[in-house]
Amino acid sequence: MRNKKDLHIARCLGDLNSMTEIPDKLKNLDVISLNKKAELLFEKAMTANNENDEEVVYIYLMKYCQILQVMKKTFTNDKTYIDLMYKDNFKKALKMLTYIKESLERRYNEKTKEEDNNKLNKRSSQNRKRFEEKLNFEFESTITNKNLLYLLDNTDKKKICLLDTRPSDIFNNNKIISCDVINIPKENLVLGLTPAILTTKLEDQFKEIWTNRHNYNYIVILDQGTEDIDDDQRLLNLKNALLKWDPTCDNSKKVKFLRGGYEDFNHLCPWKTTQNIILKSNKDVEPLSDIELDPEPEYEELENKQIQYPSLGTVQNDLARLKFNSTFHNGLTTDIKSKLDHRDNYSSEEDIDSQELTHTPINKPQLPIFDRSTKPHVKINQFMNPEIIKPLYTNNDELDDENNELPNNIEQLENRRLSLENNFLENVDSFDTDLNSIPRVDRSTKPSDDLLIVSRTKIIGGDGLRGLQNLGNTCYMNSILQCLSSTEDLVKYFINIYSNFTNYKSRTKGLVAKEFSNVIKNLWSQSGRGFQSQQFKDTIGEYKDMFKHYDQQDSHEFLTILLDWLHDDLNQPEDNRVILGASKETGEEDWGNWTKANNSIIQQLFYGQQKSTVSCDTCFEKSVTFEPFLSLSLPLPSEGNKCTLSDCLQLYLNGESICGWHCPKCKRNRDATKKLDIMRLPPYLIIHLKRFSSNGYKKNSNVEFPKMNLDMSNFINGLEHRNWKYYLYGVSNHSGSLDGGHYTASCFKNSINKWYKFDDVRVYEIDSSTICSPEAYILFYRRKN
């Protein structure tokens, strides 16, 4: 006997029953048509039975019984109907369903128990690992921030006491709040310090904690950095006071130095410090629902929807009298066994042995699943300008230019596609055709659920006006980080929901996204001190040697590499998404296929599409390719010290001559002309002004660019219907030469409605009239709503 196929459709019999409905359209068909469909369903059930797939057999047979129920309601007096009902298929279906139902119930229960056991084993393994990690630092004199975080999360926090040696003013502004903390400023840690002397130097609020120090399992000493512990005599004085001059208790295993100090701990987990404001819930912000956090659950539960299917016992009993009971029951009747033949008699030349129930591996996407046309309303809310391509629908599907709302008929088309995709009986006229031929509306341009979720969140915490310390020629990095920190939807994503979409199989194992998220959260904290992004720099240096050291780098090159890494860390490919009906000539098909494999918040916010056309100057043969772009690198006119952004865009799109292009028609190298066309623009448009030539010469031309109304309608050749107007919100500036220059950032803070200059740790307000200057290097635009 062959093994039964693994359960792959549902988690329980209730889920499976919800997939057995047939459409109402069948009620209007004649008895002959209904009988054909019933026969087709029975054949599919038998085919699946031969492949040992009990779930598929169950679904098809339940649908088969429902069609017979429709027939008996409508054609009771029809002789043809009565003749058809004498066939043995119905009896066989009832017997098979009886057996399969019991088998599936047993298998679902076993699978649930197995999954629960696996979870317990996994949890036990994790606990053992954590216990081993704990043992590793039990006898060490230092403790890492990671181990301290483990203790706070997995042990009694009341048994942990921190001795913070930073100055009182700094401690009161920023401190760890997850356990008991005593502030002992370093100026009090003199040579010959004893616990009794220290008691007299403490503030009153800390004396009771200090008196009860013997009740703690861990006493952790920390300062701002706590790196060179052996060279810090004052920290050693505090340690000696606890180990040598505290005879009432053995503190040898309790006292630890925190490696990396407060700064590293706050970088690792700011939510356990007073800088947690950016992560606290806001009463004005609705918490994300399970639906928003998991836009496409593998199994969706229907809300208050009763799924009905025929009672096999009632139908069998009525069949013997050629009269049917019209009542539908929600489940198989418990007394069916008494009305059916025993399972031992379930065998004949026609019947199939109950132990040999098999199935056929039909295409899983075509199996009947939940009707997602009724999915929650939030799914069709728009984030902003959705990527709707007009030719995919009808010539009359226009978009409202003012509010960019989807027309109702597109929503209806989408719902109809979902219904056709998830219920193979929906298309009555083509019921006997191959399931792969069912038409689907192209979803390559459908707004991403990531953006829908982001649009419902807010930036909670500070105002984003925190500076970045220069770690040594890292102004290029600071400039880009501040511009990205002013990209509102990117900030919302990394503060609120980014951890739900991390791709740990990426090139950087999700670490770049993790450290970038920490930078964003710290930049939006309310601390007035400059943030040191050392951990972020160390992480990117591990994957790119040029960032490992402290040489000056190009900010545009850094931006391109960083966004590529972030995209990779957050990429969630949609390989199962179907792309049909998209135009090849307009680039829609290429864009749809590319976004199937490249689905991340970075792609959704920053990527556009352009067309490259190379034309032979001799025979005029053309080669057309479509390619995504992350930024537009615009050349500057070679003459004059003043130009406009429109001049640069036009120069970019005018085309250029290339030599040695191999013409496929001439079969030899020819001179050719390369022409670029912008086909699709992203919500956030990055424009790079190519000021540096290959020989290192810098063009200091003053490029005039609009701040409030960049109109791209004259520079796009695609068919997308949306608002092409943008406003400026960030500029990465470069002053000096390529060898000895300096980077800054000018950013607009929407919540404050003001422009600010970010010069490493220095942050100050500026007038918008100073934004356009010969130093402007990278422009960050956002599409107007």
Side-chain angles (χ1 to χ4, degrees):
M1 182 181 71
R2 289 172 296 176
N3 293 329
K4 297 175 183 178
K5 185 172 182 178
D6 292 339
L7 299 172
H8 62 104
I9 297 179
R11 292 176 176 172
C12 63
L13 196 63
D15 288 347
L16 202 62
N17 285 332
S18 64
M19 304 176 191
T20 61
E21 283 189 302
I22 60 175
D24 293 336
K25 290 183 179 181
L26 290 174
K27 297 178 181 179
N28 300 323
L29 295 181
D30 58 80
V31 65
I32 302 300
S33 299
L34 283 174
N35 184 63
K36 288 182 179 179
K37 298 184 185 304
E39 289 179 349
L40 178 60
L41 282 172
F42 189 82
E43 291 175 3
K44 289 181 176 293
M46 294 304 102
T47 302
N49 182 58
N50 292 333
E51 294 297 331
N52 242 354
D53 194 333
E54 288 186 333
E55 289 178 308
V56 177
V57 174
Y58 184 86
I59 291 173
Y60 283 137
L61 289 183
M62 290 301 294
K63 288 178 177 288
Y64 166 77
C65 290
Q66 287 191 77
I67 290 183
L68 296 186
Q69 188 77 352
V70 172
M71 293 170 65
K72 69 93 180 174
K73 281 185 176 182
T74 310
F75 306 104
T76 304
N77 299 323
D78 192 312
K79 293 182 179 180
T80 305
Y81 162 72
I82 295 175
D83 292 339
L84 291 171
M85 293 310 298
Y86 273 115
K87 293 189 175 181
D88 294 331
N89 289 350
F90 187 59
K91 293 181 180 180
K92 184 185 299 184
L94 293 176
K95 293 180 180 180
M96 292 179 66
L97 280 172
T98 304
Y99 168 78
I100 293 175
K101 176 178 180 290
E102 295 179 356
S103 176
L104 287 173
E105 284 181 331
R106 182 180 65 257
R107 293 176 64 194
Y108 282 133
N109 290 335
E110 292 175 352
K111 184 177 180 181
T112 300
K113 292 180 181 179
E114 182 180 356
E115 290 176 349
D116 292 342
N117 290 334
N118 291 338
K119 291 179 181 179
L120 290 175
N121 293 335
K122 182 178 180 180
R123 190 178 298 114
S124 176
S125 176
Q126 291 174 344
N127 291 337
R128 284 197 303 271
K129 182 179 179 181
R130 290 172 180 171
F131 179 74
E132 292 172 357
E133 291 177 350
K134 180 180 177 181
L135 290 178
N136 289 337
F137 62 78
E138 282 287 348
F139 299 98
E140 294 182 1
S141 61
T142 62
I143 186 174
T144 65
N145 284 282
K146 181 180 179 181
N147 287 335
L148 176 58
L149 179 61
Y150 164 77
L151 291 176
L152 292 173
D153 288 339
N154 298 277
T155 63
D156 187 356
K157 294 184 290 187
K158 296 180 181 179
K159 295 294 184 179
I160 303 173
C161 181
L162 306 182
L163 307 183
D164 193 324
T165 63
R166 296 176 299 155
S168 298
D169 56 341
I170 296 178
F171 169 81
N172 290 327
N173 289 331
N174 304 289
K175 57 187 175 184
I176 298 173
I177 57 176
S178 297
C179 61
D180 290 340
V181 184
I182 301 176
N183 181 220
I184 312 176
K186 277 189 178 182
E187 61 264 22
N188 297 324
L189 306 180
V190 297
L191 191 65
L193 184 72
T194 66
I197 295 175
L198 189 55
T199 303
T200 63
K201 297 180 179 294
L202 295 176
E203 297 182 15
D204 291 340
Q205 59 178 315
F206 301 125
K207 288 183 178 180
E208 182 178 355
I209 302 177
W210 176 253
T211 302
N212 296 325
R213 64 187 179 277
H214 301 146
N215 298 326
Y216 294 102
N217 294 333
Y218 297 94
I219 300 176
V220 181
I221 302 173
L222 65 109
D223 66 358
Q224 186 67 17
T226 324
E227 291 294 346
D228 299 325
I229 299 169
D230 294 336
D231 296 333
D232 195 324
Q233 185 59 48
R234 291 184 179 272
L235 293 181
L236 295 177
N237 291 340
L238 178 57
K239 178 183 177 181
N240 291 333
L242 290 166
L243 297 183
K244 296 181 180 180
W245 309 111
D246 197 4
T248 60
C249 183
D250 181 10
N251 296 321
S252 58
K253 295 182 180 180
K254 292 183 178 182
V255 178
K256 312 285 182 184
F257 285 110
L258 181 63
R259 295 203 295 267
Y262 173 84
E263 191 170 87
D264 280 6
F265 183 85
N266 180 61
H267 182 73
L268 174 67
C269 47
W271 56 90
K272 291 189 179 294
T273 70
T274 52
Q275 297 186 35
N276 181 36
I277 300 175
I278 62 172
L279 298 174
K280 289 181 179 178
S281 60
N282 190 306
K283 295 181 180 179
D284 298 330
V285 182
E286 296 182 2
L288 294 176
S289 67
D290 293 338
I291 292 175
E292 291 169 317
L293 292 178
D294 188 10
E296 294 292 341
E298 183 178 358
Y299 299 101
E300 183 175 330
E301 294 186 4
L302 301 182
E303 299 181 7
N304 302 324
K305 186 172 183 180
Q306 297 297 323
I307 306 300
Q308 295 183 332
Y309 47 93
S311 168
L312 300 183
T314 303
V315 175
Q316 163 70 10
N317 189 45
D318 291 346
L319 179 62
R321 303 190 304 268
L322 295 179
K323 186 175 182 179
F324 289 78
N325 189 322
S326 60
T327 303
F328 272 39
H329 295 279
N330 190 20
L332 296 173
T333 58
T334 56
D335 62 339
I336 188 172
K337 294 181 181 180
S338 63
K339 298 182 180 182
L340 293 177
D341 296 334
H342 287 291
R343 205 178 311 160
D344 295 339
N345 299 326
Y346 180 42
S347 62
S348 69
E349 293 184 0
E350 284 188 23
D351 292 345
I352 301 174
D353 189 346
S354 61
Q355 301 300 320
E356 290 290 327
L357 295 176
T358 56
H359 67 272
T360 185
I362 64 174
N363 293 332
K364 288 181 64 174
Q366 310 305 327
L367 291 176
I369 58 175
F370 286 86
D371 181 5
R372 296 190 182 274
S373 62
T374 59
K375 59 184 177 181
H377 177 70
V378 66
K379 292 307 214 50
I380 58 175
N381 288 343
Q382 286 180 284
F383 162 68
M384 49 192 304
N385 308 282
E387 304 276 0
I388 297 297
I389 301 300
K390 178 179 175 182
L392 297 179
Y393 304 103
T394 68
N395 293 331
N396 297 322
D397 293 337
E398 295 294 340
L399 255 150
D400 188 324
D401 290 336
E402 295 182 359
N403 55 26
N404 291 314
E405 292 182 351
L406 285 170
N408 291 333
N409 59 328
I410 292 183
E411 293 182 12
Q412 294 167 2
L413 283 172
E414 173 66 357
N415 289 338
R416 182 174 183 273
R417 182 198 68 75
L418 292 168
S419 180
L420 287 172
E421 181 181 41
N422 298 322
N423 195 329
F424 62 90
L425 287 178
E426 184 71 79
N427 191 343
V428 177
D429 294 334
S430 59
F431 183 83
D432 55 348
T433 60
D434 182 68
L435 296 178
N436 292 321
S437 65
I438 295 177
R440 294 175 175 81
V441 177
D442 172 57
R443 301 187 69 188
S444 63
T445 56
K446 190 176 190 289
S448 168
D449 285 335
D450 295 5
L451 296 185
L452 294 175
I453 297 172
V454 169
S455 67
R456 297 172 60 87
T457 65
K458 293 182 179 180
I459 302 175
I460 306 170
D463 47 19
L465 297 180
R466 190 176 184 185
L468 283 165
Q469 295 182 21
N470 193 317
L471 306 177
N473 287 326
T474 58
C475 56
Y476 70 93
M477 179 179 73
N478 293 346
S479 173
I480 295 302
L481 289 177
Q482 293 292 3
C483 288
L484 293 179
S485 178
S486 299
T487 306
E488 285 191 6
D489 292 306
L490 190 69
V491 173
K492 291 179 183 179
Y493 184 91
F494 274 96
I495 286 181
N496 296 317
I497 66 171
Y498 116 86
S499 60
N500 298 306
F501 301 92
T502 305
N503 174 22
Y504 295 104
K505 296 181 180 180
S506 66
R507 290 168 291 175
T508 67
K509 313 301 181 185
L511 293 178
V512 170
K514 175 184 176 182
E515 294 304 327
F516 179 79
S517 176
N518 287 333
V519 171
I520 293 297
K521 290 173 182 176
N522 277 281
L523 289 181
W524 280 87
S525 69
Q526 292 188 332
S527 172
R529 299 172 59 250
F531 174 64
Q532 186 182 46
S533 56
Q534 184 67 55
Q535 186 64 35
F536 173 80
K537 183 187 181 301
D538 293 342
T539 300
I540 63 175
E542 291 179 11
Y543 299 99
K544 198 75 173 179
D545 287 339
M546 62 188 297
F547 303 135
K548 180 180 296 185
H549 307 293
Y550 294 86
D551 300 323
Q552 185 68 277
Q553 303 295 338
D554 178 69
S555 67
H556 180 253
E557 185 176 12
F558 170 75
L559 171 66
T560 303
I561 295 173
L562 174 60
L563 291 182
D564 182 53
W565 278 341
L566 291 177
H567 164 66
D568 201 21
D569 281 355
L570 303 169
N571 191 21
Q572 302 287 334
E574 295 180 303
D575 297 329
N576 293 329
R577 180 156 56 90
V578 178
I579 307 298
L580 293 177
S583 171
K584 179 68 174 178
E585 290 72 22
T586 62
E588 295 168 15
E589 181 178 323
D590 288 88
W591 178 255
N593 288 325
W594 183 77
T595 54
K596 280 177 61 176
N598 296 274
N599 177 42
S600 73
I601 190 69
I602 305 302
Q603 171 262 313
Q604 295 151 20
L605 292 179
F606 297 106
Y607 273 91
Q609 185 192 41
Q610 61 186 5
K611 178 175 71 172
S612 174
T613 304
V614 180
S615 177
C616 177
D617 291 346
T618 302
C619 70
F620 305 105
E621 176 71 8
K622 293 182 179 180
S623 175
V624 178
T625 57
F626 294 92
E627 52 195 22
F629 68 86
L630 182 60
S631 64
L632 296 177
S633 293
L634 306 184
L636 275 60
S638 57
E639 298 179 359
N641 294 322
K642 191 173 182 179
C643 63
T644 66
L645 186 61
S646 295
D647 296 333
C648 300
L649 282 165
Q650 195 59 55
L651 185 61
Y652 177 76
L653 299 174
N654 279 345
E656 61 179 343
S657 298
I658 57 176
C659 300
W661 180 66
H662 184 78
C663 176
K665 187 175 181 180
C666 298
K667 305 298 183 181
R668 58 184 300 180
N669 292 340
R670 295 288 195 185
D671 292 341
T673 301
K674 182 179 180 180
K675 173 76 168 61
L676 294 176
D677 291 286
I678 300 174
M679 308 301 293
R680 185 185 306 272
L681 288 169
Y684 288 81
L685 177 62
I686 301 175
I687 296 179
H688 165 229
L689 303 177
K690 298 175 67 174
R691 294 191 177 276
F692 299 103
S693 62
S694 57
N695 57 11
Y697 172 77
K698 180 184 177 184
K699 295 181 180 180
N700 290 309
S701 303
N702 187 11
V703 180
E704 293 183 356
F705 48 88
K707 294 186 289 293
M708 293 302 298
N709 192 22
L710 171 62
D711 190 351
M712 293 293 293
S713 58
N714 294 328
F715 305 104
I716 186 168
N717 196 32
L719 296 177
E720 58 174 346
H721 290 265
R722 57 170 54 195
N723 191 350
W724 290 313
K725 294 183 178 180
Y726 291 78
Y727 69 87
L728 185 74
Y729 70 89
V731 180
S732 175
N733 305 295
H734 181 271
S735 59
S737 64
L738 182 62
D739 296 328
H742 179 61
Y743 288 93
T744 60
S746 302
C747 300
F748 178 76
K749 295 301 179 181
N750 194 46
S751 59
I752 311 175
N753 198 31
K754 293 180 180 179
W755 280 91
Y756 288 86
K757 188 68 168 286
F758 293 83
D759 186 356
D760 292 330
V761 294
R762 297 178 62 234
V763 181
Y764 52 92
E765 184 180 349
I766 58 175
D767 191 273
S768 61
S769 61
T770 64
I771 303 299
C772 291
S773 74
E775 295 178 359
Y777 183 43
I778 306 174
L779 312 178
F780 292 78
Y781 281 94
R782 178 180 180 177
R783 178 184 288 129
K784 289 187 174 182
N785 292 330

